[in-house]
Structure formats: structure tokens, C-alpha cells
Amino acid sequence: MRKLRSSTVVLGGMGVLAATITACGSDPDKRCVDPVTRETLPSYECESGGSDDDNGGATHRGSYYYGGSIRDNKVSGGSFDMKAVDTGGFGCSGSGGG
């Protein structure tokens, strides 16, 4: 039986550790969504640019929606509260969406 070199084992272990840390620390997907209809919107509908006077009177009708999925241009299974969305990953803990 062939022995693995210690550097191979160390590199493999570092890869698993990096994947775990990345999965736990990553933010969920963020989409701009109409809070009433839950339809996806262009990102500029959610971006803040100061008061309405600063951006030519334009208003922003969107809010960021985290996690979930898109079907027929509507989101579901996520939350408007980023902290309420489980980012998943190995060894991570979190609460479900709402």
C-alpha cells in the first residue's frame, strides 16, 4: 500500500478548511425585488443615492431580497432580512428564511 506524502495530506486538509470557512462566511444571494409583488427589478431600483432631490426626483421602489430562488421572475424561499437567511455550508448554524 502506498503512503501519502504529508504535504498532500496537509494541502487536502487546508482545502477542506478553506471551503468550510468560505461557506460559513459567505453572504446569501442578494436581489433587487418589489416588496409587494416580489418581482425582480433592476439593481438601480434598490440602490440608495441620497434624497429624492439628489437623483432627479427618482424614487426607489425595490428592496433587497436575500437567498431563495427565482421562478417566472418572482422570488420565493428567502427573506428581506439578510440575517434570517441560512447561508448553509458545512458546520454552519443559522435560522431559516421567512
Side-chain angles (χ1 to χ4, degrees):
M1 195 168 186
R2 197 176 115 190
K3 290 185 177 182
L4 292 175
R5 292 184 176 180
S6 61
S7 61
T8 303
V9 173
V10 169
L11 289 175
M14 293 299 283
V16 170
L17 178 62
T20 302
I21 291 170
T22 302
C24 289
S26 64
D27 290 333
D29 292 337
K30 178 171 82 170
R31 300 172 178 91
C32 186
V33 172
D34 184 313
V36 177
T37 65
R38 295 202 177 205
E39 291 181 351
T40 57
L41 299 171
S43 61
Y44 66 82
E45 290 286 353
C46 288
E47 294 170 359
S48 61
S51 67
D52 289 343
D53 294 335
D54 293 339
N55 57 16
T59 58
H60 300 290
R61 66 181 182 125
S63 296
Y64 284 114
Y65 189 85
Y66 301 93
S69 60
I70 300 174
R71 184 172 183 181
D72 297 327
N73 202 36
K74 291 190 177 188
V75 294
S76 64
S79 176
F80 287 101
D81 180 9
M82 184 172 72
K83 294 178 183 176
V85 179
D86 185 5
T87 58
F90 179 75
C92 297
S93 62
S95 60

